[in-house]
Amino acid sequence: MTLKDIDESKLTPMMQQYAAVKKKYKNHILFYRLGDFYEMFFEDALLVSKELELTLTGRDCGLEERAPMCGVPYHACDVYLKKLIEKGHMVAICEQTKDPSECQGLVPREVIRVVTPGTLIESSMLDESSNNYLCAFYMKAKEASLCLADISTGEVHLFEFSGKDTANSAINELSRFSPSEILINDAVLSNKEISAFIREKIKTSVQLLEDADFDPEHHTDEVLTQFSVNSLDSLGLKADSISAFAVCGLFAYIHDTQKALVGRFSEITRHDADPIMTIGFTARRNLELTETLRNKQKKGSLLWVISNTKTSMGNRMLKSWLEQPLINPAKIIDRLNAVEQLVRDPVALGEIKEVLGGVYDLERLMTRVMYKSASPRDIKSLSLTALKLPDLKKQLSAFDGKLLKDCNRRISTLDAISNLVENALVDEPPANVKDGGVIRDGFNEQLDGLRNIISGGKGIIDDIAEREKEKTGIKTLKIGYNRVFGYYIEVTKSYYDLIPDNYIRKQTLTNCERFITDELKVAENTILGASDKILSLEQEIFTEVRDFIATQLRIVQDTATAVAEVDVLCSYATAAIKNNYTKPEIAIDGIINIKNGRHPVVELMQTDEVFVPNDTYLDLGSNRMSVITGPNMSGKSTYMRQVALITLMAQIGCFVPADYAKISVVDQIFTRIGASDDLTAGQSTFMVEMSEVADIVKHATKDSLVILDEVGRGTSTFDGIAIARSVSEYISTSRSLGCKTLFATHYHELISLEDELTGVKNYSVAVKRQGDNIKFLRKIVPGGADESYGIEVAKLAGLPSKIIGRAKSLLGEMEAEAIKAKAAAAKADADQISFDKISDSIVTDKLRKTNIDEMNDEELRAFVKDLLRYV
Ligand code: ADP
């Protein structure tokens, strides 16, 4: 039975209320609060019972048939919500807006929040080490704007693009932030390149909205004031600018879905002013920056190597620094100098890390404060963190470098918060205010008075018990308490005849009877009234404390950011000490010079073979392209990735795995690596390879770093070599490119490029032949490889000896044929030469034997004609 095909007027009033709310949230699952449960009815119940494997029951709804129903307990709803969101659903939460005990008839209900993948705030549903971005993506003609917000931390980013690179730039930002939810307008959907990327490459939930949903005319300041942003003007945005559309689209959506979230966002980071290194989707994946290509795991990624953060905020910032390397040399140097100071003082570093160990997630705690969902323990965590800050500031004050000093300046000790919370809250508050016992004795006089009544109350009850015992002579008389009868006097069977007349019987049990008296009732009212009052007063005080902390949002946010930065710098320093990294020299002359560089991940992952370090020298002149030849499995890919990773590490401000490194800032890193077969997207390996190459030649500049691994491999040998050659020629000679390039190939035919193109240098991976076997030396040496060693590598890989033997004899035959063909060609050339020689000598001979002075015109003409036959 579904809502669509029933007569709503016949429904019970409550079901009519349900139907009315559901109409507004047709595309959502409606969690309808009923007592201690969120119930779902009709089609939602059918769907959810299946998705979450819940029992499907029914409820009388006024019709003959019962309405299908299933439910989840409200206190444990996060688990169910998480599963539904992960399965791609959106959930509207409909709460009772009045206490049912205060209502006559139907309890009013309202949707208080819509839960979508991009608007999560529950820590149980979020990954503490990653940001969770919601993105509004608005396009008009060739212009695009992206506004991204993480509701759980409060950060907002804004981008605007125009011109022919719009789609590409937008795709780069989507790869960088990988938002969990994207709001788009029709123009985005119609852009083939972008919609294919969103559909195929990133895991995200997409909402197609009307253009009007983005239009500032429809929202203007009403939406923006919700977020402490007063107007578009204050953001420096014109109402008709494309960015204004993205900003309004995003905030209007948050406003609609998060009704209670007020003032969480404070500042929008605009990215047009401060460019960063561009790393496309492919390079990000191939270089395994935050997860491995194959298993999508952190272990084995660059992030894993440099990740030694102590706080969740630092963890998230480390990831975002890694995803956005800097290109401003001064900023990179500031970070490197800070890391150097920390590396040089391991004692201070250890102490700072210890303090950071006690720092909680200020950003997400503040979101819960703003959301009014912070628990007493959350508030206590904020205060405990604040108490650590003076110590942190003291440690930092020992450093005089620019960045650490600046961080220290931005960290506030948050005294106002810690003073208030430490005075107001007990040392170990309960998880829920409703449990009571949150506020400390001595903080509020009224509360202390009420508490005295309770503790005095215990004395009153004891007095009554004593007195009654004496008066009645019932030795076993005692006073107990339960929820149903309140306080009662209990008399055991053997004393029944001593029960006085003023005792009012309440309950008879096997061995005893329970009574109340007027005096006991009066005492009970005083005590219970006081404990009710205590609970509501505690709640009131707690709300005041929480609301005060909410007023400190900006200062806590700034502190949180600075603490996170310190944490990342310490994390870099720790990695540098642990793995023996050096401080790179940052340059702008286009030179990358690395001595004994190592691959940061392979050197740690590899246990059976010692990692062999290698040098690199690239510049913008005669060393712009290194052609690296060598057999498969010899270490070409590892070497090239190592150069890219060292460059990237330097530009995020981290020390690098090398004895020495001079790194000239690069604007983009491109990769075309290995067989990243994208069969799921319906593309063959070769197509992927070629479209990656196309992307590189279209977008690389002279300041980029390009890594090409085996271009042209996915097709026939001649095609492959031809493509590989022409791509390298184009990259190394085209005026707009000429960028630093590492090009690995097993086509050793390509070593001739060194002689033909300026800027190309040959390198190879050294291999030692030992009889029939080869040994990889892993050393990159000048000069090209002389052969491919394909069969030897196949043997190393364990191909049966019969196949190896046959391959060898085939190779022998092919080589013999090639030699024969070469000899024939040489002979043909020789013939050509001797024929030329013969003709020359005939002509000379004839000229010598003839006296042209004796010839008349006709004879002369005939003679020349004859000679011309030999020329
Ligand atoms: P290729 O690209 O030439 O096929 P790879 O770069 O994939 O070769 O290297 C093959 C393996 O060799 C790697 O998985 C790694 O274990 C090992 N290797 C590569 N470079 C080194 C090195 N410099 N030192 C030690 N082992 C290395």
Side-chain angles (χ1 to χ4, degrees), residues 520-584:
L520 193 58
K521 239 353 204 202
V522 170
E524 178 185 294
N525 283 342
T526 320
I527 296 168
L528 293 189
S531 64
D532 279 352
K533 276 189 209 145
I534 285 175
L535 267 190
S536 66
L537 188 56
E538 283 211 64
Q539 240 170 58
E540 227 172 83
I541 299 172
F542 178 74
T543 309
E544 270 176 36
V545 170
R546 201 188 52 205
D547 291 350
F548 168 75
I549 296 176
T551 64
Q552 307 288 304
L553 174 70
R554 178 59 76 91
I555 181 169
V556 179
Q557 185 78 52
D558 289 348
T559 299
T561 314
V563 170
E565 278 182 37
V566 172
D567 196 10
V568 177
L569 295 166
C570 288
S571 179
Y572 283 175
T574 310
I577 295 171
K578 217 161 56 179
N579 305 321
N580 196 18
Y581 293 164
T582 42
K583 181 186 181 189

Side-chain angles (χ1 to χ4, degrees), residues 358-362 365 368 375-387 421-422 425 429:
V359 166
Y360 290 90
D361 196 338
L362 289 175
L365 286 170
R368 292 205 283 281
S375 72
R377 285 190 190 155
D378 287 340
I379 300 295
K380 191 75 189 177
S381 302
L382 268 168
S383 164
L384 289 177
T385 301
L387 289 175
V421 176
E422 288 313 301
L425 264 58

Side-chain angles (χ1 to χ4, degrees), residues 145-165:
S145 175
L146 282 91
C147 188
L148 297 115
D150 182 344
I151 296 185
S152 69
T153 64
E155 65 189 79
V156 189
H157 303 267
L158 182 63
F159 297 88
E160 188 174 311
F161 304 111
S162 59
K164 70 176 178 19
D165 259 355

Side-chain angles (χ1 to χ4, degrees), residues 606 609-612 631-638 778:
Q606 191 151 283
E609 195 181 333
V610 179
F611 193 87
V612 179
N632 282 324
M633 286 301 289
S634 58
K636 301 185 297 297
S637 289
T638 308
R778 312 282 184 216

Side-chain angles (χ1 to χ4, degrees), residues 254-270:
I254 296 174
H255 179 52
D256 280 353
T257 53
Q258 315 299 298
K259 324 246 173 204
L261 185 62
V262 176
R264 176 65 184 105
F265 302 101
S266 37
E267 211 172 295
I268 295 187
T269 311
R270 298 185 65 172

